[in-house]
Amino acid sequence: MTREPLDAVLARSTIDTLRFLAADAVERARSGHPGTPMEAAPLAYLLYRRHLRHNPADPAWPGRDRLVLSCGHASMLLYGVLHLAGYALSLDDLKNFRQLHSPAAGHPEFGHAPGVETTTGPLGQGLGVSVGMAMGGRFLAEQVSAELFNYRVYALCSDGDLMEGLSSEAASLAGHLHLGNLIVVYLDNRITIEGETSLAFSEQVATRFLAYDWQVLQVEGENLTEIEMALNAAKADPRPSLIIARTHIAPGAPTKQDSAEAHGAPLGAEELAATKSAYGWDPHQSFLVSEEVRAHMGACRTRGRHLQQQWQELLRDLEKNPSAGLLNWLRSRDGALPEGWDLHLPAFGAADGPLATRQASGIVLNALAARLPLLLGGSADLAPSTNTSLKGERSFSRTGSGRNLHFGVREHAMGAVLNGLSHTPGLIAYGATFLIFSDYMRPPMRLAAMMGLAPIYVFTHDSIALGEDGPTHQPVEQLPGLRALPNLHVIRPADANETAEAWRLAVERRNGPTALVLSRQGLPVLDPDRYAPADGVRRGGYVLAEEEGDLQALLLATGAEVHVALAARELLQAEGVATRVVSLPCWEKFAEQAESYRRQVLPPSCRARVAIEAASPLGWERWVGTEGEVIGMRGFGASAPGAVLLEHFGFTPEAVGKRVKELLARSKDVNPDAQS
């Protein structure tokens, strides 16, 4: 892309405008971080005005370059440059920085302001997401069209980003894969909230990234020529690039430059006025944008419109090509499945069991991959255990972008990378590990739910039944923890057919993430001639089996414990206790159903309710009520064979039956007229 010569005067005027838009907004809000936006203004100017392929009139243009502000506390830098570049972000929006309903939120929020590529705030997340975006871009370039999807991903990061462990995981993976479409700029201002970084951070960052097999370049943060040369060098290298920019926080502030005070608080009226005076600005004017600066940055709109027109013409030409099947798939689907689309999910019979739901999941996943060419994913070095390899597909490596991803033992990075992949047009991304290690993934999972992204998490080895590895590997509190995340659907299927339906829900859901929670141990396949069909999973919960006559007891369960409930029902039936078994694999979907359906499945008149789940009982009170019982885990398990542990901790038909009869007896004591 040919660029006009740099106009030093206009460049400096625009950079200073960005600095004071940020400082003014923070001052007006009486809250925020002025120092980093002020120091990074030269970088933002060069990127948006001269290097990024972007169109302010269409922030979602698929062919655009992406810029991720990993140091999300510098949000006013992003809002300021988006405003000047011509995005639909007004000066009044900037004046309402950090106020209720303002698109200019305290940290960038995806979907709130145009041009914000992802939600950042927790440090390191943006860097991890940018790795996923770069992987997604390279996948589309190699699998769909190198001409359409040759975009680059840029990220701005800070000392804090690089201190967080996530950055090490993500950068290591990016270097291993040679993601040459990823360019990260590190703002090396050597200041954190507590003071100088030397208090806790003295590593050689350049050496670290050279060891990751990145190209490393070093520039002065105010030297536009050096920065531009580094950006050009980064674009030319097949490796990811780290540009280390030596910067000064709050440059030009008479008493607060290079100080921790400039990091997380307004400069103060007196300091801000003195800073403006030092720059030759009117200290009494706020939110000042000259017509010359507006006209200069207006070139972003003209250039962006031209770039997108060229891209659209190329797209039309490529669509005429008979070999453009995957491109047409991407264009027609845009990541969503059409109404009535047949996924060709496998069906399982009783003779196929016993079958662990992790094994059934692998069968279903491969069937889906045959129908969904943009489905890709992998595991945190656990594919043989999680059954998440796509048979016959290539691996994603530095030499090719196949559909099998190898994240290595990097759950935190895997979660963030999945977010970046999920930001990529058309892709359906999944990642797998043991349920116990979902704890390492909580920050990116939370952000995915917040943004409405739709990665799929495959969590196996779902309870104490995994056995001999012991309590360090036996998940107990993870299920209620995941269920507490707003907009995350957690599905724990009871058999192979429920697993198929769980996958259906996951790939059809495009407005939030889904966690599939799967067993290590083999489970019977529920006989459709004896029990209700598994498509009840689509409603989150359903009546699996019951006796005719007056209902006396309800057994509620998920996953492997559904089979314990069914066996307990047989015992109770022999003693004349009419019992209903409810499979409740997805609480979130069940809660979405009409109240009339929920009352039909869980009739309020039946108060003898027992829930069975080999996990912490927290949350089950919503479904069993104050008079019900929960058979769950109140400790951390033990090291022993899984079957031994289940019996030891009371997950047996006999223990369930005993609890039901005790509950019924108590009910009679309270109400002597209750039916027997």
Side-chain angles (χ1 to χ4, degrees):
M1 182 171 59
T2 304
R3 288 184 295 276
E4 76 277 19
L6 183 68
D7 185 320
V9 174
L10 273 175
R12 281 297 162 190
S13 181
T14 306
I15 289 166
D16 293 346
T17 299
L18 285 172
R19 284 174 165 149
F20 290 121
L21 283 176
D24 284 339
V26 171
E27 197 69 32
R28 183 179 178 122
R30 299 182 182 178
S31 170
H33 304 73
T36 304
M38 293 176 70
E39 74 179 277
L43 287 154
Y45 165 75
L46 285 177
L47 285 169
Y48 277 86
R49 180 59 176 76
R50 296 175 60 79
H51 287 268
L52 280 176
R53 291 167 50 88
H54 67 112
N55 183 6
D58 186 2
W61 167 38
R64 72 193 183 280
D65 290 340
R66 279 76 166 156
L67 184 133
V68 174
L69 186 69
S70 192
C71 45
H73 57 274
S75 56
M76 264 310 304
L77 170 72
L78 183 57
Y79 302 143
V81 74
L82 290 174
H83 168 70
L84 294 183
Y87 287 77
L89 200 64
S90 70
L91 198 59
D92 283 340
D93 291 330
L94 272 57
K95 291 177 180 178
N96 286 316
F97 176 55
R98 288 187 164 226
Q99 305 309 302
L100 186 63
H101 304 310
S102 171
H107 291 82
E109 295 185 33
F110 176 68
H112 284 230
V116 173
E117 296 286 359
T118 190
T119 298
T120 54
L123 290 171
Q125 291 297 325
L127 201 155
V129 168
S130 69
V131 172
M133 287 181 173
M135 290 174 66
R138 205 178 86 181
F139 182 84
L140 290 183
E142 294 188 15
Q143 300 292 334
V144 181
S145 169
E147 298 158 286
L148 289 175
F149 299 108
N150 60 347
Y151 60 80
R152 292 184 175 87
V153 180
Y154 297 82
L156 295 184
C157 73
S158 63
D159 297 297
D161 290 287
L162 296 188
M163 288 188 215
E164 290 285 359
L166 169 58
S167 68
S168 295
E169 292 185 24
S172 175
L173 180 61
H176 172 75
L177 295 174
H178 271 196
L179 296 178
N181 58 341
L182 175 62
I183 300 171
V184 176
V185 180
Y186 162 39
L187 304 171
D188 180 19
N189 64 29
R190 305 179 189 178
I191 294 293
T192 61
I193 291 175
E194 292 185 357
E196 295 185 3
T197 54
S198 58
L199 290 169
F201 188 63
S202 55
E203 68 182 44
Q204 296 180 14
V205 171
T207 303
R208 193 220 303 188
F209 276 77
L210 286 170
Y212 292 150
D213 205 6
W214 286 53
Q215 176 184 215
V216 178
L217 305 159
Q218 302 198 44
V219 300
E220 286 296 323
E222 293 289 328
N223 190 318
L224 301 184
T225 301
E226 281 190 15
I227 297 170
E228 190 141 82
M229 290 175 61
L231 289 170
N232 290 332
K235 294 175 186 178
D237 200 285
R239 299 167 295 173
S241 295
L242 178 72
I243 299 173
I244 301 176
R246 177 66 176 108
T247 55
H248 297 271
I249 198 166
T255 68
K256 293 190 176 181
Q257 176 178 313
D258 293 327
S259 71
E261 288 80 6
H263 175 79
L267 293 178
E270 185 176 333
E271 182 81 1
L272 179 53
T275 307
K276 287 180 179 179
S277 295
Y279 276 84
W281 280 51
D282 184 344
H284 304 295
Q285 294 238 27
S286 298
F287 296 97
L288 184 63
V289 181
S290 71
E291 290 304 316
E292 291 79 10
V293 166
R294 286 207 182 277
H296 180 59
M297 289 299 287
C300 293
R301 296 190 292 273
T302 304
R303 183 169 60 91
R305 183 169 59 250
H306 177 65
L307 288 170
Q308 187 168 359
Q309 285 173 349
Q310 290 181 319
W311 190 87
Q312 294 288 0
E313 290 169 6
L314 178 61
L315 174 63
R316 284 191 290 271
D317 290 341
L318 291 174
E319 284 177 327
K320 298 172 186 175
N321 190 326
S323 65
L326 200 53
L327 173 61
N328 289 327
W329 168 276
L330 175 62
R331 288 278 290 161
S332 62
R333 304 292 188 268
D334 195 27
L337 302 181
E339 193 75 26
W341 176 254
D342 188 353
L343 291 171
H344 289 186
L345 293 175
F348 301 87
D352 294 317
L355 193 64
T357 53
R358 63 174 174 145
Q359 294 174 296
S361 170
I363 296 168
V364 175
L365 175 58
N366 275 274
L368 285 169
R371 298 284 286 162
L372 303 173
L374 297 180
L375 173 70
L376 76 167
S379 77
D381 195 46
L382 289 168
S385 295
T386 58
N387 296 89
T388 43
S389 291
L390 301 181
K391 295 179 174 58
E393 293 288 340
R394 292 183 300 129
S395 293
F396 194 113
S397 68
R398 66 174 56 178
T399 59
S401 299
R403 293 207 277 168
N404 280 314
L405 309 183
H406 302 280
F407 294 103
V409 188
R410 303 184 182 101
E411 277 89 355
H412 198 168
M414 179 172 74
V417 167
L418 289 175
N419 288 347
L421 291 168
S422 297
H423 274 300
T424 307
L427 299 190
I428 302 175
Y430 67 87
T433 187
F434 293 171
L435 178 58
I436 191 70
F437 301 132
S438 64
D439 287 347
Y440 287 144
M441 298 174 59
R442 287 302 293 272
M445 290 173 68
R446 184 176 188 269
L447 290 174
M450 191 181 298
M451 289 186 277
L453 299 179
I456 300 168
Y457 311 116
V458 181
F459 295 136
T460 68
H461 296 58
D462 68 347
S463 76
I464 59 169
L466 70 86
E468 291 86 346
D469 278 339
T472 60
H473 281 54
Q474 291 167 6
V476 172
E477 76 279 13
Q478 282 68 29
L479 272 173
L482 292 175
R483 287 169 178 152
L485 268 180
N487 199 35
L488 172 67
H489 283 191
V490 182
I491 312 177
R492 187 171 184 245
D495 78 336
N497 287 314
E498 281 202 358
T499 302
E501 291 296 335
W503 266 108
R504 181 196 302 278
L505 287 177
V507 298
E508 289 179 347
R509 185 168 193 243
R510 297 291 87 203
N511 62 351
T514 301
L516 307 180
V517 181
L518 307 171
S519 74
R520 175 181 185 259
Q521 74 272 32
L523 301 174
V525 177
L526 296 170
D527 188 345
D529 293 331
R530 294 187 61 194
Y531 304 114
D535 60 8
V537 172
R538 301 179 202 180
R539 305 188 77 169
Y542 64 106
V543 177
L544 185 61
E546 67 178 332
E547 297 300 319
E548 294 184 3
D550 293 332
L551 183 63
Q552 293 174 267
L554 282 172
L555 297 179
L556 294 73
T558 73
E561 289 73 65
V562 168
H563 300 274
V564 177
L566 289 170
R569 169 180 165 267
E570 298 289 337
L571 296 178
L572 291 166
Q573 178 186 8
E575 298 187 33
V577 179
T579 305
R580 169 184 291 183
V581 174
V582 173
S583 178
L584 205 63
C586 184
W587 293 11
E588 297 78 22
K589 287 294 290 185
F590 189 65
E592 290 175 2
Q593 305 306 309
E595 183 182 357
S596 58
Y597 176 76
R598 297 199 307 270
R599 292 170 69 91
Q600 178 186 333
V601 174
L602 303 175
S605 58
C606 185
R607 298 182 179 180
R609 304 182 183 194
V610 175
I612 314 142
E613 190 173 66
S616 166
L618 184 66
W620 272 107
E621 61 275 5
R622 178 178 186 182
W623 309 118
V624 301
T626 57
E627 299 176 29
E629 294 274 353
V630 183
I631 299 175
M633 288 295 298
R634 290 166 173 80
F636 286 105
S639 180
V644 173
L645 291 175
L646 290 172
E647 182 174 0
H648 174 73
F649 287 106
F651 296 99
T652 66
E654 293 77 15
V656 173
K658 179 181 178 183
R659 193 76 69 92
V660 168
K661 287 183 286 185
E662 290 172 351
L663 196 58
L664 289 171
R666 287 206 305 271
S667 176
K668 287 180 184 178
D669 291 340
V670 173
N671 181 10
D673 297 325
Q675 270 188 318
S676 61

